[in-house]
Amino acid sequence: MAEAESVIGTPDSAGADESAGPGTEVRPQGKRKLAALLVVAVLAYLIDLGSKMLVVAKLEGHEPIDLIGDLLRLSAIRNRGAAFGMGEAYTVIFTLIASVVITVIIRLSRKLYSLPWAIALGLLLGGALGNLTDRIFRSPGVFRGAVVDFIAPAHFAVFNLADSAIVCGGILIVLLSFRGLDPDGTIHKD
């Protein structure tokens, strides 16, 4: 039956790599997971955008709000740098890096057949788009805008939901890589 499917080229066997080396399990690819990637990216982007709009409207210029005593508070700041406020002079470079990351994710999505990878890349894409929107459209100007950060844990840097999406997507990618799962759905059994 499997031989007949490979000759006929059924949707589940289309694109499966018959020449995979030892230690690699070939999985049927079926439909691409582009829709899942896009849904996750749009949700992450919209939640980030909405939270930043709310923070700018209700929290900016006001006293921080304590959520869990001194352990967690909401405090609106503008960050022109990268993570942890580093590199404020390199806002344009961070904008270009985010643009490259978005382009790479879009290109990779054409070969995406793994739902966990779709979720991870969707989180990265949504987060990158959220912070890129700030860098393009917020003051002091195009490609020099400051990112709105507002989640302030004690003894840690202030961040936003886009940053959280990026970190969660990155952690998921590391875990998937350790498990040997590739974006195209193949599993390496090393």
Side-chain angles (χ1 to χ4, degrees):
M1 176 88 165
E3 184 179 321
E5 286 178 351
S6 68
V7 172
I8 296 171
T10 61
D12 285 340
S13 66
D17 184 7
E18 300 290 331
S19 63
T24 302
E25 176 184 325
V26 178
R27 301 179 84 199
Q29 293 180 343
K31 293 184 179 180
R32 288 189 297 161
K33 303 300 181 189
L34 184 59
L37 183 149
L38 292 175
V39 167
V40 171
V42 167
L43 283 174
Y45 177 74
L46 291 177
I47 291 169
D48 176 66
L49 184 63
S51 67
K52 289 175 180 174
M53 291 171 65
L54 188 62
V55 164
V56 168
K58 302 290 184 184
L59 188 59
E60 201 166 52
H62 295 81
E63 289 294 315
I65 298 171
D66 291 333
L67 295 178
I68 305 174
D70 288 339
L71 294 177
L72 182 63
R73 64 177 45 172
L74 299 178
S75 178
I77 66 163
R78 299 288 181 117
N79 179 3
R80 293 188 62 210
F84 312 113
M86 296 185 299
E88 285 191 22
Y90 301 105
T91 304
V92 173
I93 300 209
F94 298 135
T95 303
L96 293 173
I97 290 170
S99 300
V100 168
V101 167
I102 291 166
T103 302
V104 167
I105 291 171
I106 290 169
R107 290 188 60 134
L108 184 60
S109 70
R110 290 185 283 167
K111 297 178 181 179
L112 185 62
Y113 292 92
S114 165
L115 182 59
W117 270 94
I119 293 168
L121 293 174
L123 288 169
L124 283 177
L125 181 60
L129 285 170
N131 284 340
L132 184 62
T133 299
D134 280 0
R135 295 200 187 278
I136 292 173
F137 295 109
R138 294 204 188 270
S139 63
V142 177
F143 298 114
R144 296 177 303 136
V147 174
V148 175
D149 287 335
F150 58 92
I151 303 169
H155 313 294
F156 195 72
V158 181
F159 59 95
N160 60 43
L161 295 178
D163 298 333
S164 297
I166 291 168
V167 168
C168 290
I171 290 170
L172 185 53
I173 287 172
V174 169
L175 292 174
L176 293 171
S177 297
F178 277 127
R179 293 195 65 211
L181 180 63
D182 286 343
D184 66 358
T186 57
I187 299 174
H188 299 280
K189 294 182 180 180
D190 294 335

